[in-house]
Structures are given as structure tokens and as C-alpha cells.
């Protein structure tokens, strides 16, 4: 069973499903004493909740959970009854179908509550007639190192395995919850963008007619708050560069329809998917501080990062968030590699000024691209989905491969 509630998690889930199929195909069936195999096939079956990519990968979706993605505590509270209903639906689905493993993909607030409910059920229904004991796996660690550290202890209580995609996280958990199994599997970005060059980039100049890529986020609320600021910043950049090309990439048609319905210049290109190709063509990006900043880093694209949320969400966040930066490349570098503007600082003027510097200043672009190369190098080798799948199979092996008969 897989549960993903955001576009990025939907893609991770689809990649993991393919890798799990390949990993389980290599697990040999074990014959019994009468030479009849106990497992004629280890072809897995996948079900749960996710998005269109997981559905394409063969996951039997109970519903599209990515359609309900929200941002911040206040938005969660507004939709609390809906999320309780969805969680309850998945809870009963898991109990009815009794999967061997439940993989919670990112979406930590929702998934952590579901994992706790299911683990509690399994613990209180363990007897002669009830032997269901699913392995609970969290794929992508929540940012417990950034805020609300106490969540790590809740995870240690309920999860059997955490699959980390950033190298520092394993040591962070080991110091606080050493009994929780945490495995760094690498970062899936390294597989999506092809082989890396053997050394730092050698070209740094922007094109005479530059292309600016707008990446406002993967949730409707992010689009609503970020798009007006981004478009105003682009218009300011165009004052000195009338031929400037602006392109926006969104993860699905639903968000694209929202963007097309908003006031925007007719020259703005809006596309669904194709982010790697769009990044290859871009001189700079203006992006939400989420996962997409790592994709910009993977492609060596200098980026201006921003984030705006509701007043109430911001008041809560600034009291609990302990890290200096929100964009992950900045966190990994412990430096503002990407200019970053949060809440009131995320104005069109600030964003346009930072973007203009990235386009004009060749030495700044050179330093940025070299730092991005170092950041991506720190993530290890490609093959994250394959290693994640192999780690899950090893966790399940006592159940998947029966012991040979002593007869």
C-alpha cells in the first residue's frame, strides 16, 4: 500500500513501484519438501492513494489524494473534516486488504497519523486469529530537523524504516532516536536528469534573449500567492529586456487551468510537465522554495526562491522553524546560494532585482553554478529508487521467502 499526497510524492511513488517490481522479480521462490514452490510468483500488487503518475505505474488508487494538497496549518484546519474522512477511508482499506508493507511517501502530517492508527490497530489485534503486522515505511524524511523535533520520537514508535534522500539525516536521527532504522538511499533527482558532467560547468553567460522559468509551486494556494508576484517581477525585467521569454511549468492540468484563468500576459508560455527540458533551456528560474529548488540545482540553473503564505501560517511557522533557510540547496550549502525571499520580503521589486543580478553578473552566475555542482555532488550516486526498493525488500524478506522445510 502506498500513500502520496503531493505531486512530488506521486512521482516518487511511481518510480518506487517500478523499482519494487524489478527488485521482487529477483527474489527466488523457495520449494517445499515435496518440491512444490510456496511462492509461484512474487509479482506485487499495489494499491492506496496518490496521483496520476502512480495510477499510470499500476497502483490501484482508492482516490486521488494529490487533488487535496494544501499548505500550512491554517489550510489544514479549514479542511480538517475532509482529511479525517480520507484518512479513515484509507485506514479501513488497509485493514480490509492487509498489505505486507505500507509506504508513506512524504506528506508527513497526514501519513504520520495514518501510520500511528494502523500500527496501533496491529498491536491491539495480535493473537492466534490475528497475525497482520505490516511494515510501516516513511519514504522521504519529514523536516523534523527544521521544526518540531518531537515528531522524530513519534516516528520511532510507529515506523519500521525511514528512507532518507539527504545524507545528513541519518546521523541526525541516530543521535536522537537510535532505535529507528534510517537508511540514506540517495536522491531520485540524480536519476531524472541523466548522467552528470564529470566536472563543474564551463559556460556561465546568459543568452542575449534570456529565458526565465516560473515555478510557482504544486498546490493551488501556492499558485494563488506566488503567481502575481512572479508575473510583476517578469514585467520589471522586461523593461530592459523586451524580448525576454517567460515560461511556466506546472505539474498537472488542474493547476495549469488555474494559472490560465488568472490575469497574465498573453506572451507567458504555460506547460504541464517537461520540467527537465524547460530547465535545460532556462537562463534563470524564479521558484517556490519547495522541492523544485533541488531540481533547479540539479540542472545548474541559478534561481531566485520565494515563499508566501497566509498571515496565520507565517506567524506559526516563524515560531517553530529553526533553520536559517527554506530552500534546500541553501540548507545543504549553509549559505544563500539562491537568493531567498520569504513572506513580506517576497516582493516583485526584490525578486526582479535579484533576478536581474543573476542575468547581468557573470561572476555571480559562475559562483552559483559551481556551488550547485558541489551541492549535487554531495547527494551521492544515482539509483535512489532502486536502493529504496531493495531496502524495502530486505525488510520484508522474512515474510516473502519462507524457511525451507527440515524434512
Amino acid at each position: 500500500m502506498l500513500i502520496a499526497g503531493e505531486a512530488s510524492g506521486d512521482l516518487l511513488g511511481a518510480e518506487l513501484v517500478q523499482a519494487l517490481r524489478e527488485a521482487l522479480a529477483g527474489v527466488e521462490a523457495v520449494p517445499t519438501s515435496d518440491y512444490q514452490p510456496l511462492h509461484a510468483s512474487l509479482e506485487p500488487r499495489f494499491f492506496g492513494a496518490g496521483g496520476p503518475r502512480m495510477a499510470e505505474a499500476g497502483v490501484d488508487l482508492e482516490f486521488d489524494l494529490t487533488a487535496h494538497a494544501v499548505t500550512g496549518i491554517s489550510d489544514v484546519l479549514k479542511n480538517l473534516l475532509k482529511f479525517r474522512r480520507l484518512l479513515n477511508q484509507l485506514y479501513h482499506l488497509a485493514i480490509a486488504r492487509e498489505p505486507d508493507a505500507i509506504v508513506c511517501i512524504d506528506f508527513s502530517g497526514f501519513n504520520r497519523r495514518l501510520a500511528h492508527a494502523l500500527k496501533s490497530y496491529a498491536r491491539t489485534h495480535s493473537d492466534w486469529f490475528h497475525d497482520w503486522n505490516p511494515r510501516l515505511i516513511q519514504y522521504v524524511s519529514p523536516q523534523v530537523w527544521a521544526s518540531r523535533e518531537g515528531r522524530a520520537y513519534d516516528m520511532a514508535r510507529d515506523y519500521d524504516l525511514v528512507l532518507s534522500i539527504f545524507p545528513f539525516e541519518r546521523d541526525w536521527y541516530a543521535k536522537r532516536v537510535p532505535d529507528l532504522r534510517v537508511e540514506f538511499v540517495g536522491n531520485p533527482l540524480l536519476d531524472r536528469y541523466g548522467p552528470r558532467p564529470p566536472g563543474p560547468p564551463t559556460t556561465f553567460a546568459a543568452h542575449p534573449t534570456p529565458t526565465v522559468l516560473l515555478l510557482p509551486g504544486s498546490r493551488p494556494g501556492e499558485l494563488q500567492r506566488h503567481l502575481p508576484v512572479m508575473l510583476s517581477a517578469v514585467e520589471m525585467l522586461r523593461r530592459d529586456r523586451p524580448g525576454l521569454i517567460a515560461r511556466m511549468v506546472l505539474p498537472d492540468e488542474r493547476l495549469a487551468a488555474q494559472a490560465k484563468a488568472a490575469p497574465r500576459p498573453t506572451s507567458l508560455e504555460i506547460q504541464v510537465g517537461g520540467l527537465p527540458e524547460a530547465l535545460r533551456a532556462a537562463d534563470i528560474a524564479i521558484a517556490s522554495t519547495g522541492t523544485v529548488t533541488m531540481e533547479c540545482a540539479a540542472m545548474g540553473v541559478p534561481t531566485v526562491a520565494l515563499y508566501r503564505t497566509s498571515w496565520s501560517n507565517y506567524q506559526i511557522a516563524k515560531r517553530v522553524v529553526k533553520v536559517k533557510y527554506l530552500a534546500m540547496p541553501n540548507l545543504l550549502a549553509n549559505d544563500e546560494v539562491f537568493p531567498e525571499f520569504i513572506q513580506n520580503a517576497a516582493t516583485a521589486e526584490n525578486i526582479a532585482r535579484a533576478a536581474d543580478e543573476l542575468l547581468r553578473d557573470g561572476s555571480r552566475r559562475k559562483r552559483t553554478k559551481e556551488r550547485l555542482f558541489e551541492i549535487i555532488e554531495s547527494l551521492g550516486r544515482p539509483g535512489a529508487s532502486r536502493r529504496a526498493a531493495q531496502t524495502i525488500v530486505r525488510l520484508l524478506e522474512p515474510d516473502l521467502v519462507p524457511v525451507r522445510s527440515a524434512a
Side-chain angles (χ1 to χ4, degrees):
M1 183 176 186
L2 299 97
I3 304 100
E6 297 166 311
S8 58
D10 182 38
L11 177 55
L12 279 175
E15 293 168 340
L16 180 63
V17 163
Q18 179 59 36
L20 279 168
R21 283 199 176 95
E22 295 172 2
L24 286 165
V27 179
E28 295 182 1
V30 178
T32 60
S33 57
D34 61 357
Y35 300 101
Q36 295 298 315
L38 287 175
H39 288 264
S41 170
L42 287 177
E43 175 64 27
R45 289 175 292 173
F46 301 100
F47 70 98
R53 291 179 181 271
M54 286 170 58
E56 290 173 9
V59 181
D60 179 14
L61 296 184
E62 183 76 358
F63 49 79
D64 184 349
L65 187 55
T66 66
H68 304 283
V70 296
T71 307
I73 294 175
S74 66
D75 291 343
V76 171
L77 292 175
K78 291 175 187 175
N79 293 275
L80 188 58
L81 292 178
K82 177 179 69 175
F83 282 119
R84 281 182 176 173
R85 175 176 54 79
L86 296 174
L87 191 149
N88 191 54
Q89 191 172 343
L90 291 174
Y91 171 80
H92 288 289
L93 179 67
I95 292 171
R97 298 189 62 171
E98 295 191 347
D100 296 290
I102 299 169
V103 184
C104 301
I105 305 171
D106 214 347
F107 208 50
S108 63
F110 183 95
N111 274 330
R112 194 173 69 254
R113 287 165 177 80
L114 178 61
H116 177 62
L118 290 172
K119 186 64 87 171
S120 298
Y121 175 90
R123 285 170 177 153
T124 56
H125 292 75
S126 179
D127 54 40
W128 183 264
F129 299 102
H130 304 87
D131 61 354
W132 180 50
N133 183 29
R135 303 301 188 269
L136 270 292
I137 300 144
Q138 175 67 36
Y139 186 21
V140 181
S141 165
Q143 295 181 352
V144 289
W145 34 264
S147 67
R148 293 172 288 163
E149 184 178 309
R151 292 177 292 168
Y153 301 93
D154 296 335
M155 293 170 64
R157 175 193 61 204
D158 297 320
Y159 285 110
D160 298 286
L161 172 66
V162 174
L163 299 171
S164 162
I165 64 172
F166 293 112
F168 67 89
E169 291 175 326
R170 185 173 179 177
D171 289 341
W172 187 94
Y173 279 103
K175 292 175 182 177
R176 293 160 178 83
V177 282
D179 293 336
L180 176 60
R181 180 178 173 184
V182 179
E183 298 288 347
F184 170 60
V185 296
N187 200 294
L189 290 175
L190 303 181
D191 298 293
R192 295 175 193 163
Y193 294 97
R196 284 174 290 171
T202 56
T203 57
F204 308 102
H207 293 100
T209 303
T211 297
V212 177
L213 189 61
L214 304 182
L215 303 167
S218 59
R219 303 178 183 94
E222 291 174 332
L223 204 65
Q224 181 181 357
R225 294 185 178 99
H226 294 162
L227 190 54
V229 179
M230 288 182 170
L231 293 178
S232 295
V234 166
E235 289 308 304
M236 292 178 185
L237 291 171
R238 276 193 170 132
R239 291 172 187 169
D240 295 328
R241 303 173 182 84
L244 181 141
I245 299 167
R247 179 178 295 125
M248 183 185 303
V249 176
L250 295 164
D252 57 51
E253 293 288 352
R254 177 174 51 93
L255 289 173
Q258 180 183 343
K260 291 174 182 177
R264 60 187 173 86
T266 56
S267 59
L268 176 67
E269 302 175 23
I270 299 177
Q271 69 182 60
V272 176
L275 180 58
E277 295 77 14
L279 284 168
R280 289 187 185 98
D283 291 285
I284 64 168
I286 301 174
S288 166
T289 57
T291 305
V292 76
T293 57
M294 284 301 297
E295 300 184 80
C296 296
M299 295 299 290
V301 179
T303 299
V304 180
L306 73 146
Y307 200 81
R308 302 187 72 167
T309 187
S310 67
W311 180 87
S312 56
N313 281 338
Y314 179 67
Q315 294 303 314
I316 294 169
K318 73 178 185 179
R319 288 165 172 78
V320 299
V321 173
K322 298 184 292 184
V323 292
K324 189 176 180 180
Y325 306 107
L326 292 188
M328 183 56 74
N330 292 346
L331 281 169
L332 292 173
N334 193 29
D335 190 17
E336 195 175 58
V337 180
F338 287 166
E340 185 175 304
F341 300 100
I342 308 302
Q343 202 62 4
N344 295 333
T347 64
E349 292 78 9
N350 285 342
I351 293 163
R353 183 177 63 254
D356 182 67
E357 290 174 2
L358 288 174
L359 288 170
R360 289 181 184 277
D361 191 339
S363 61
R364 172 78 176 272
R365 290 174 60 82
K366 180 177 184 293
R367 290 194 304 272
T368 299
K369 285 177 172 286
E370 288 173 345
R371 293 298 301 278
L372 296 179
F373 180 84
E374 294 169 1
I375 291 166
I376 297 303
E377 281 287 295
S378 74
L379 299 179
R381 298 172 291 110
S385 296
R386 184 186 72 251
R387 285 189 291 273
Q390 291 170 343
T391 305
I392 291 171
V393 170
R394 285 195 297 271
L395 181 69
L396 294 174
E397 271 180 343
D399 301 320
L400 294 176
V401 183
V403 177
R404 291 179 185 270
S405 169

